[in-house]
Amino acid sequence: MDALTSLNPQSPQTHAIFTLWIVATVVLGAIFVIVAGIIVYSLMRFRWREGEPDPEQVAGNRKVEMIWTAIPLVIVIFLFVLTARTMSFADPAPPKEPDLIVIGHQWWWEAQYPKSGAIAANEIHIPTGRPISVLLDSADVLHEFWVAELTRKMTTVPGHPNHIWMQADRPGVFIGVCSEFCGTQHAWMRFTVVAQDPKEFAAWEQSQLAAASQPTGEAAKGLALFQQMSCMSCHAIKGSVAAARVGPDLTHFASRKQFGSGIADNTPENLRSWLRDPQNVKPGVKMPNFKLNDEQISQFIAYFETLK
Ligand code: CUA
């Protein structure tokens, strides 16, 4: 997995933003060096010396004043034009129907693929090589969607969807974070963007559309528990009666590499600690402690492992 950095752009959009940043940094750096240089030079060259008379006193110089007004004006106009061009390149008008709807929740991300109906959580797959239009919304408070290498930041505002373009030039797993403080577990509102070759992406999307198969043995007991306890009032599993949309859709839970929005790798041991007491693993998480016994936890794990 790549690190979270704006200095390694992997899409045309982030390349444009990165280039703008470089140009601005060079221009502003040069201004700093010139101004600071002149100040230091003047301090040394014109400092007071024993026995020297006061220098000639000057007040007002129209020519010099015009020059030092004109030069900054040109620089500001240059940076403004460059910024406006970058903005219109990285952020063209959104299409009627987005490729992806991403909804921020305290503290996880839901991804809906409106064209196919697929739903994912915290692991957002996209095809490489083309711009993906992303509509961003929130289920509760302000969050901020940020995949540093692939797109700019964008706030998710409840009831006021925002739009961005996201693109990956190569396959890979890119890290994303929530970059606006949104409560206790803001730091663990991480996600990944899995960029795949379009064919692989299509296969993934197909696999996510399938309903969960009917489990047997231990796993069937897990499903029965899932339906008896109040799991269903928050989670959905296609193919069962659970259809709530408060927490992550678990239909393909086992296909995800992590759970709890990046807090743990999706292994049976981690899942056991989570089910024993989610509040201990991720304090403040909306999932309560159901005080499950070891046998029940094993049945749940057996069931979840079938949710490929
Ligand atoms: Cu969501 Cu910070």
Side-chain angles (χ1 to χ4, degrees):
M1 204 185 304
D2 288 30
L4 181 77
T5 171
S6 305
L7 306 183
N8 183 27
Q10 298 293 327
S11 74
Q13 293 79 10
T14 46
H15 262 292
I17 295 168
F18 180 69
T19 307
L20 173 66
W21 180 76
I22 292 284
V23 172
T25 305
V26 167
V27 170
L28 302 179
I31 293 171
F32 173 79
V33 169
I34 292 168
V35 172
I38 292 174
I39 291 173
V40 170
Y41 171 78
S42 306
L43 286 172
M44 314 280 279
R45 173 76 180 73
F46 301 109
R47 75 169 183 268
W48 181 81
R49 287 183 180 84
E50 192 69 51
E52 268 186 25
D54 281 352
E56 188 194 342
Q57 300 298 303
V58 182
N61 183 326
R62 182 161 298 174
K63 204 167 163 194
V64 174
E65 281 163 14
M66 278 166 73
I67 292 172
W68 76 42
T69 305
I71 293 176
L73 194 67
V74 169
I75 295 173
V76 168
I77 291 172
F78 168 71
L79 289 178
F80 172 77
V81 170
L82 215 62
T83 305
R85 276 181 47 179
T86 305
M87 286 168 72
S88 70
F89 173 80
D91 246 347
K96 270 218 174 72
E97 193 189 8
D99 296 302
L100 192 57
I101 299 172
V102 174
I103 302 167
H105 295 255
Q106 281 176 317
W107 292 277
W108 61 283
W109 297 93
E110 178 181 354
Q112 303 173 351
Y113 297 76
K115 288 169 186 168
S116 68
I119 289 179
N122 301 329
E123 193 179 299
I124 301 172
H125 290 238
I126 60 167
T128 53
R130 69 175 180 87
I132 309 294
S133 71
V134 187
L135 200 67
L136 291 161
D137 206 339
S138 166
D140 35 50
V141 301
L142 298 180
H143 301 278
E144 194 162 62
F145 182 87
W146 190 33
V147 192
E149 291 166 294
L150 303 185
T151 183
R152 71 193 190 94
K153 288 181 176 181
M154 181 54 87
T155 307
T156 71
V157 184
H160 177 90
N162 281 325
H163 180 272
I164 51 165
W165 290 96
M166 173 158 74
Q167 178 166 344
D169 289 337
R170 60 165 175 88
V173 179
F174 302 93
I175 193 155
V177 294
C178 176
S179 55
E180 181 155 322
F181 183 70
C182 55
T184 328
Q185 287 297 344
H186 158 70
W188 284 112
M189 194 164 159
R190 294 187 155 221
F191 59 101
T192 52
V193 172
V194 181
Q196 293 171 301
D197 177 78
K199 270 202 190 118
E200 278 175 43
F201 169 78
W204 173 85
E205 197 174 23
Q206 270 305 314
S207 74
Q208 298 295 305
L209 291 172
S213 53
Q214 221 32 53
T216 53
E218 277 288 282
K221 290 182 190 156
L223 170 60
L225 275 179
F226 191 88
Q227 293 175 340
Q228 279 158 26
M229 311 191 76
S230 45
C231 312
M232 300 201 308
S233 39
C234 289
H235 294 285
I237 294 180
K238 248 182 284 169
S240 80
V241 290
R245 302 293 299 280
V246 180
D249 185 306
L250 300 178
T251 314
H252 300 283
F253 177 79
S255 74
R256 296 176 200 149
K257 299 251 183 326
Q258 295 176 313
F259 66 82
S261 217
I263 205 156
D265 287 337
N266 194 355
T267 64
E269 303 78 57
N270 289 342
L271 202 50
R272 185 166 286 278
S273 325
W274 177 265
L275 290 170
R276 186 166 291 129
D277 185 6
Q279 296 298 325
N280 188 37
V281 179
K282 189 173 179 177
V285 68
K286 305 288 178 190
M287 177 157 158
N289 180 354
F290 284 95
K291 310 232 163 34
L292 304 168
N293 62 38
D294 280 346
E295 193 191 357
Q296 290 172 319
I297 292 177
S298 297
Q299 291 166 349
F300 268 119
I301 292 174
Y303 176 47
F304 290 150
E305 280 180 343
T306 68
L307 301 174
K308 294 266 156 57

